[in-house]
Amino acid sequence: AERTAAEQQRYVTQLHLMAKVQPHHLRLPQALCEPPPPLSDGSKAPPLYSASIKRLQQLAHASSPVQMLAGLVETCRLLAQEAQQAGAPPPSADELMPLTAYVMLRAQLGSLPAQLALLQAMYAHDNLFGEQGYCLATFQVAYVWSMQLKWDQLHHPGTRGEPAAPVAQGAKARRPSSATAGVPSARPSSGKARRPSERPAPRPTTA
């Protein structure tokens, strides 16, 4: 319990430090970082991936592991949908993980580490197949990766001679082919959920 509380406190501190993070800070492709156009009445559109952020925030009210897991799955679905609505192709596995980390940081949900730990304990001896297994693994990896981020080491376009639209680094992943709202399939040939590749935190660049 003490370890979980300490991890949660570190996560809350990280949320505060990363409160202003944007997708381009995480070196995602430009197509996934484009701000939405103004609404038809001329008013400003909601922030990038706002529906995904709001859905993840609802986990604070989840009363059971089943509801928590459903919230993670729906968040991944919304991420893929919002990316496509912005004109981008469905996110690949390597792109979905940092996008998930972005949504986690922007949702400012301090209880998320405890919820992920509970889900991991609940399903440790079960084989989660398909979408559920993939989404849970994505959130677990995104959590670990987001805790390694440092603001002064993120990509800030237009500074220190960096290019304006870098492409996210990492191994190329298969484009999702499942019909589940663009979420990549989570069942490899072994029958177990395929774990997304862990990406190192962005390194500082030199001028």
Side-chain angles (χ1 to χ4, degrees), residues 31-32 49 78-91 99:
L32 295 172
Y49 308 107
L78 284 169
L79 265 173
Q81 291 173 3
E82 290 188 288
Q84 290 179 276
Q85 288 169 1
L99 266 180

Side-chain angles (χ1 to χ4, degrees), residues 85-151:
Q85 288 169 1
S92 68
D94 263 10
E95 294 164 351
L96 183 61
M97 191 281 289
L99 266 180
T100 301
Y102 163 75
V103 168
M104 290 169 59
L105 294 170
R106 296 295 296 205
Q108 296 286 296
L109 183 63
S111 62
L112 189 58
Q115 292 172 311
L116 291 176
L118 174 61
L119 289 174
Q120 184 175 7
M122 287 288 297
Y123 296 106
H125 303 293
D126 297 331
N127 287 325
L128 283 180
F129 297 112
E131 195 179 15
Q132 288 183 326
Y134 183 84
C135 292
L136 179 56
T138 297
F139 269 90
Q140 289 171 334
V141 174
Y143 165 67
V144 173
W145 187 73
S146 68
M147 290 299 292
Q148 301 172 12
L149 299 176
K150 298 183 184 299
W151 181 257

Side-chain angles (χ1 to χ4, degrees), residues 21-46:
V21 71
Q22 294 294 331
H24 64 258
H25 291 139
L26 306 181
R27 296 183 178 274
L28 283 159
Q30 185 67 26
L32 295 172
C33 304
E34 290 291 342
L39 301 178
S40 57
D41 61 1
S43 58
K44 187 177 180 180

